[in-house]
Amino acid sequence: ALISDKDREIRLAAARVLANMSALDPADKLLAQLKVETYSDVSLAIFDALGEACFFAFSPGSPITLNESIRTETLAIAGRYLQDKDARVAAQGAAVMGKLLELNNVEGEGAETHLGLLAGRYQQAKGTASPLRGEILQVMARLCGNGSHQQQAARLFAQFFLEGLGVADDNAIREAAAAGLVNIDKSV
């Protein structure tokens, strides 16, 4: 009930708590509030909680049954967040997208499209002083080591990992690149 409270601070605090309590199955309520939320920081916190709720619900052995359309809509929202000019918002979009793609139940063209969105946003972030590139590359590295899309991710992201090893001024990029190459080697 607090996720739709009239007080902005209460909605923000409720979203942050729900991000850590996905077993409560708050996804329906989070998605509904995300659609009407007017404060960007509260929206971001609600989106984070929604991503976690979907991840939990669609994880193997989860006691929660969630409508597939909620995950589909959450992935679409993640794609929009990923394209945001604010690096913090884009990083959150990448993180949620990565969580949901790690699961083995996103199939076919949908997975390929979302992997392509990550690759495209990573390329857009080249030449910026933002930590966004390293954060996206970390998501890409995890996808090369987890889930049913490892082979697709490896084909699509390998070039970025090789390039990332040569980035002298950003340790996060080099570390993510090395992790990605290790994950590719394990998945081949």
Side-chain angles (χ1 to χ4, degrees):
L2 294 177
I3 198 67
S4 58
D5 192 90
K6 64 181 179 178
D7 187 312
R8 173 192 169 281
E9 294 297 322
I10 290 174
R11 290 192 312 273
L12 179 61
R16 288 181 176 156
V17 168
L18 286 171
N20 296 317
M21 300 179 69
S22 53
L24 295 177
D25 189 18
D28 291 338
K29 292 173 185 69
L30 289 167
L31 184 57
Q33 183 61 35
L34 182 61
K35 291 177 180 179
V36 298
E37 185 55 56
T38 56
Y39 292 98
S40 61
D41 59 336
V42 178
S43 290
L44 193 59
I46 291 171
F47 175 67
D48 181 37
L50 176 61
E52 183 59 33
C54 286
F55 180 77
F56 182 80
F58 288 102
S59 292
S62 175
I64 294 177
T65 303
L66 194 59
N67 188 318
E68 178 70 31
S69 67
I70 293 177
R71 182 185 56 203
T72 302
E73 193 166 352
T74 302
L75 272 168
I77 294 167
R80 290 192 301 270
Y81 274 51
L82 179 64
Q83 298 305 318
D84 200 283
K85 292 188 185 322
D86 183 338
R88 187 175 55 99
V89 174
Q92 191 60 50
V96 168
M97 186 177 287
K99 279 182 188 179
L100 297 181
L101 290 174
E102 281 180 41
L103 299 171
N104 293 330
N105 43 19
V106 177
E107 297 300 328
E109 290 180 23
E112 189 73 33
T113 298
H114 289 86
L115 292 171
L117 287 173
L118 286 167
R121 186 61 171 107
Y122 177 78
Q123 288 178 312
Q124 287 176 352
K126 283 185 177 179
T128 65
S130 164
L132 179 60
R133 280 182 65 209
E135 292 170 356
I136 294 174
L137 205 60
Q138 287 173 358
V139 170
M140 295 161 97
R142 279 196 313 274
L143 289 170
C144 289
N146 297 319
S148 62
H149 309 296
Q150 293 176 12
Q151 298 297 326
Q152 289 174 292
R155 278 193 311 275
L156 192 57
F157 303 149
Q159 67 186 16
F160 301 125
F161 300 139
L162 292 170
E163 292 170 6
L165 288 178
V167 176
D169 60 343
D170 194 328
N171 289 338
I173 290 175
R174 283 197 314 275
E175 288 174 10
L181 289 172
V182 166
N183 285 339
I184 286 173
D185 190 51
K186 285 192 290 190
S187 69
V188 176

